[in-house]
Amino acid sequence: MTIPEPAGPEMAGPEMAAPEMAGPGMAGVHAAWLPPEAFRAVGSRRTLVLGEGRLAGTVHEEVARACARHGGSVRRAGDGPYDLVLALTVAEPLPEAAAGARPGAPIGDEGYVIARTDGVTVVLADEPAGLLYGLFHVVRLGERAFAAERPAEHHRPATRLRMLDHWDNVDVHPVMGQVERGYAGGSIFWRDGAPRGDLARVRAYARLLAACGVNAISVNNVNVHATEARLLTDRLGDVAAIAGVLRPYGIRVHLSVSFASPVTVGGLPSADPLGEDVRGWWAEVTRRVYDAIPDFGGYVVKADSEGQPGPFAYGRDHADGANLLAGALAPYGGVVHWRAFVYDHRQDWRDRSTDRARAACDHFAPLDGRFHDNVILQVKHGPIDFQAREPVSPVIAAMPATRVAVELQVTQEYTGQQRHVCYLAPMWREALGFRPRGAGGPAVADVAGGGGGLVGVSNVGDDPYWTGHPLAQANLYAFGRLAWEPRLDPAAILDEWIDLTFAPVADGDIERARGTLHAIMDDSWRVYERYTAPLGVGFMVRPGHHYGPDVDGYEYTPWGTYHFADRDGVGVDRTRATGTGFTGQYPPPWSQVYESLADCPDELLLFFHHVPYGHVLRSGATVIQHIYDTHFAGAEQVAEARRRWQEAAGLFDPALHARVSDLLDEQVRCAEEWRDQVNAYFFRKSGVPDARGRRIP
Ligand code: GCU
């Protein structure tokens, strides 16, 4: 089937047959990484669950459901022997095997210890949330959890806040649709201006998220429109209902709020952050929020950004703005996620001195130290906007006295819109492992782990496969796993996802399924990069919906995303010597590395430098030849991926296989379009022929 190109971002994914595999009680919805078969090892055993509280109840339910299906049993205390014990450390009396695994030090809020001694697998936790995460660890291990003795391992999340932001609107927005930048259908929370009556889907989602480690969700778009602004006030009950469904899986609800709410929903004349009446309004509204949702997480705010209201209107700065909301939330332990995505989206393209990449640091670095303790500055991982290749944002290193959260885009706005296979874990792993102050300094993951956390923009909708492209489920899974443990290897995460998701695949075939999926997915981000914008220059997408190529689409617009190609060369000069000075926002060694034409990594060359087409890269190729070579190679690799997938028919559920096949057809078409437009554009600009004589249209 040929999938038409979208007319705009409001287009949902292609319509295809509903999947056959269903989760518990979710007919017609794919079970993702929790098909019942994934619980076979746990469900066929004798298990004791010891612990009180709501989340311990969830663990009990999960085990009971697995046992009912796979023939095991849930035992009472004293009714041994057991194969598996899941217990809180405070439980009395602890069975012998569990008592032996108890560590000397605290396990921590969400942590757990897993061990196997004398034929008993033990999960111990101080708090019920740890028990839940420990259970899912055992599920991931499958039979390996029961195969051999296992010394005690202590697991705890690298960061406390592991959050997904939904860019969901309650109403269908005339331009952006129901889910802004959503490629998987409508919202799982909202429909036709109201909450969905049946929250079973939300419950299934919560389960999936708990199984990969996510513990917070913001349930509405950062661009807060009129209806959504009222979620804070008279529509609060809708949010409370969602919170009630997420709570048993250890997930807190957050809300995106408009900075102008005191005016737009409160009827005050001003939203000035220093106004007493404004402060009082936020305090009162927030008190009511906590009355309705005692474990409410806090607010997410996009202020003075792309037209959203903010403190600048009152001559105040962003510390004033963020601290206002922080003050209202502080009595209840809530936090404000204040987004650093502040730049001039109405700049004059003729003005070569304004550099969008600089904007966040210019605005926020001078405010370091002024934010209240419960303000979290939420920074996109790159300085521009979720391109397939960007350097790490300099803001992350520039705010040592501020809690910083790093924001990743799980939804594939700029990485193929869930029509293309693009496994993002390798990109995220690279960003999280980057050390802004050089080898001896902290990694990005350490900064995020220092109190801010990791935030992903969700890629989920009401599509039967959750994510439109079935293989895009792996990105959601990987986001959670990396938020829990940023040092995990992307290929190992993919193995976990494959083994869980495709647990129903017959034993002998799982190896082949794994081989196919690794061949298609492991390198898919780099493949995507090859056939799209070259060497870190970014964009070149169709304006508005951002799908498919348009090299000059943004070149003469106010958005600040330019490549500056002319007949002689291409790239953005962001050096201190001759350009915008952006390289100076990095501490050493990167301020020097990026400044230097000789040292700048090839993949970021055009982000930092404007060079002639004949410039020789560190790889030895000229820039122009690199553009031709990577575009031919990238499109060919997509065609190869499609061949691999076609050979694997029979290994996968037929409906899933068919959907991925259709999407790969579209990816091949689109990659060829990218290849031809980019190559033709640069051939026509430069007049330099391809050294290998291939046809360029
Ligand atoms: C991107 C995206 C917008 C979104 C914005 C944001 O620019 O295209 O749809 O609102 O990011 O992160 O706020």
Side-chain angles (χ1 to χ4, degrees):
M1 166 180 147
T2 308
I3 299 157
E5 285 193 46
E10 72 278 9
M11 287 250 330
E15 276 188 29
M16 292 183 209
E20 283 168 10
M21 280 184 286
M26 290 297 299
V29 176
H30 189 251
W33 50 89
L34 293 181
E37 290 79 356
F39 288 79
R40 183 181 303 279
V42 168
S44 54
R45 299 228 148 54
R46 298 163 297 188
T47 300
L48 172 68
V49 180
L50 275 182
E52 301 293 320
R54 192 183 277 114
L55 269 65
T58 305
V59 172
H60 200 276
E61 264 171 48
E62 288 286 341
V63 172
R65 182 165 47 218
C67 288
R69 183 170 185 108
H70 296 292
S73 53
V74 190
R75 296 298 169 104
R76 292 215 184 82
D79 185 18
Y82 320 110
D83 306 307
L84 173 62
V85 174
L86 297 141
L88 289 182
T89 44
V90 291
E92 291 286 349
L94 273 182
E96 206 179 307
R102 200 204 301 252
I107 301 176
D109 280 0
E110 296 177 305
Y112 56 90
V113 167
I114 180 167
R116 182 168 171 86
T117 36
D118 301 330
V120 186
T121 300
V122 172
V123 171
L124 267 183
D126 287 342
E127 300 291 336
L131 265 199
L132 185 63
Y133 294 124
L135 166 67
F136 285 121
H137 190 126
V138 177
V139 171
R140 278 197 295 277
L141 289 172
E143 283 301 328
R144 283 170 297 158
F146 304 97
E149 301 288 283
R150 174 180 282 273
E153 279 170 27
H154 187 174
H155 293 265
R156 70 193 122 199
T159 173
R160 267 173 54 92
L161 270 157
R162 305 176 302 279
M163 176 170 180
L164 282 167
D165 280 7
H166 279 256
W167 287 357
D168 297 16
N169 300 313
V170 177
D171 288 330
V172 176
H173 185 269
V175 179
M176 287 300 173
Q178 190 172 26
V179 180
E180 181 153 341
R181 310 306 181 186
Y183 311 104
S187 169
I188 58 168
F189 302 115
W190 317 103
R191 182 161 52 197
D192 301 334
R196 282 172 176 266
D198 176 9
L199 292 179
R201 187 81 191 248
V202 175
R203 187 179 163 83
Y205 185 48
R207 222 179 142 237
L208 288 171
L209 295 188
C212 65
V214 169
N215 66 359
I217 294 182
S218 146
V219 291
N220 65 306
N221 191 1
V222 287
N223 297 314
V224 183
H225 308 295
T227 303
E228 294 75 12
R230 290 170 44 216
L231 293 175
L232 182 62
T233 52
D234 55 316
R235 302 283 298 259
L236 187 57
D238 300 349
V239 184
I242 294 171
V245 174
L246 298 176
R247 192 169 291 124
Y249 287 92
I251 297 170
R252 287 184 184 214
V253 154
H254 297 239
L255 256 191
S256 289
V257 298
S258 164
F259 193 76
S261 301
V263 177
T264 54
V265 295
L268 296 185
S270 152
D272 182 347
L274 302 192
E276 271 314 309
D277 50 347
V278 173
R279 194 184 304 276
W281 188 85
W282 279 108
E284 175 56 17
V285 158
T286 305
R287 185 187 64 73
R288 285 201 219 125
V289 170
Y290 279 90
D291 278 351
I293 311 169
D295 57 353
F296 181 71
Y299 300 138
V300 178
V301 190
K302 173 176 177 176
D304 291 317
S305 168
E306 300 185 330
Q308 292 296 303
F312 287 163
Y314 305 97
R316 314 297 184 197
D317 64 28
H318 279 238
D320 298 328
N323 290 342
L324 165 73
L325 299 184
L329 289 158
Y332 314 97
V335 293
V336 190
H337 283 87
W338 190 268
R339 296 181 82 231
F341 188 54
V342 177
Y343 70 100
D344 179 2
H345 69 290
R346 296 203 181 99
Q347 86 173 69
D348 183 350
W349 60 267
R350 299 166 194 83
D351 162 20
R352 298 286 287 255
S353 64
T354 302
D355 180 2
R356 172 166 165 181
R358 291 189 58 119
C361 225
D362 283 343
H363 283 297
F364 286 96
L367 303 179
D368 190 34
R370 284 198 38 219
F371 292 102
H372 289 180
D373 288 349
N374 60 333
V375 173
I376 293 174
L377 188 68
Q378 187 164 311
V379 184
K380 292 191 183 191
H381 67 89
I384 302 278
D385 195 8
F386 299 134
Q387 300 303 289
R389 177 72 70 172
E390 288 190 44
V392 157
S393 167
V395 179
I396 294 168
M399 315 268 317
T402 305
R403 291 169 73 180
V404 170
V406 176
E407 186 179 300
L408 307 173
Q409 198 179 40
V410 189
T411 193
Q412 291 174 237
E413 176 178 1
Y414 295 102
T415 50
Q417 303 204 346
Q418 280 136 256
R419 289 156 187 246
H420 297 212
V421 182
C422 189
Y423 178 49
L424 293 166
M427 171 166 93
W428 298 335
R429 178 69 189 74
E430 227 173 83
L432 293 169
F434 180 80
R435 294 181 186 275
R437 296 185 182 279
V444 168
D446 301 324
V447 177
L454 211 65
V455 179
V457 182
S458 176
N459 62 349
V460 157
D462 68 357
D463 166 74
Y465 288 101
W466 299 92
T467 51
H469 202 308
L471 305 188
Q473 288 178 5
N475 285 331
L476 187 64
Y477 182 81
F479 168 78
R481 296 291 288 132
L482 283 173
W484 181 282
E485 173 44 278
R487 279 170 305 207
L488 288 176
D489 169 26
I493 297 175
L494 197 60
D495 272 332
E496 286 179 16
W497 174 74
I498 294 168
D499 288 353
L500 291 168
T501 304
F502 299 101
V505 170
D507 276 356
D509 285 342
I510 191 74
E511 280 298 323
R512 287 177 54 216
R514 238 187 253 130
T516 301
L517 290 164
H518 277 290
I520 292 172
M521 296 175 74
D522 278 346
D523 206 30
S524 53
W525 160 55
R526 290 189 181 82
V527 169
Y528 184 83
E529 180 184 23
R530 274 176 210 130
Y531 63 79
T532 55
L535 297 165
V537 78
F539 279 82
M540 300 191 171
V541 290
R542 301 251 173 104
H545 60 66
H546 299 165
Y547 185 76
D550 185 346
V551 179
D552 277 342
Y554 275 102
E555 199 58 16
Y556 307 103
T557 72
W559 292 95
T561 51
Y562 315 119
H563 55 68
F564 299 121
D566 59 23
R567 65 178 186 172
D568 299 318
V570 57
V572 190
D573 185 350
R574 294 193 160 105
T575 62
R576 303 190 283 293
T578 52
T580 68
F582 171 70
T583 57
Q585 290 187 339
Y586 290 89
W590 299 106
S591 52
Q592 275 90 41
V593 170
Y594 293 146
E595 177 80 6
S596 154
L597 198 50
D599 296 337
C600 183
D602 281 352
E603 66 273 13
L604 289 170
L605 186 75
L606 302 184
F607 191 95
F608 287 106
H609 297 272
H610 185 91
V611 296
Y613 293 114
H615 173 82
V616 178
L617 296 168
R618 290 153 69 91
S619 71
T622 60
V623 165
I624 190 74
Q625 194 57 40
H626 172 95
I627 292 175
Y628 297 149
D629 288 348
T630 49
H631 283 77
F632 281 113
E636 177 47 39
Q637 283 162 321
V638 177
E640 175 58 21
R642 180 171 61 177
R643 274 193 291 280
R644 285 296 302 247
W645 184 253
Q646 281 162 351
E647 281 165 21
L651 283 182
F652 298 96
D653 166 71
L656 183 143
H657 190 271
R659 179 178 279 210
V660 174
S661 295
D662 289 341
L663 290 162
L664 280 165
D665 287 348
E666 163 58 12
Q667 187 175 357
V668 168
R669 184 206 65 74
C670 189
E672 289 174 353
E673 186 68 26
W674 268 101
R675 174 197 66 197
D676 292 341
Q677 284 204 25
V678 172
N679 283 348
Y681 180 94
F682 284 104
F683 175 54
R684 291 175 194 182
K685 279 263 160 166
S686 70
V688 180
D690 172 30
R692 295 172 58 192
R694 289 162 292 194
R695 184 178 163 271
I696 295 176

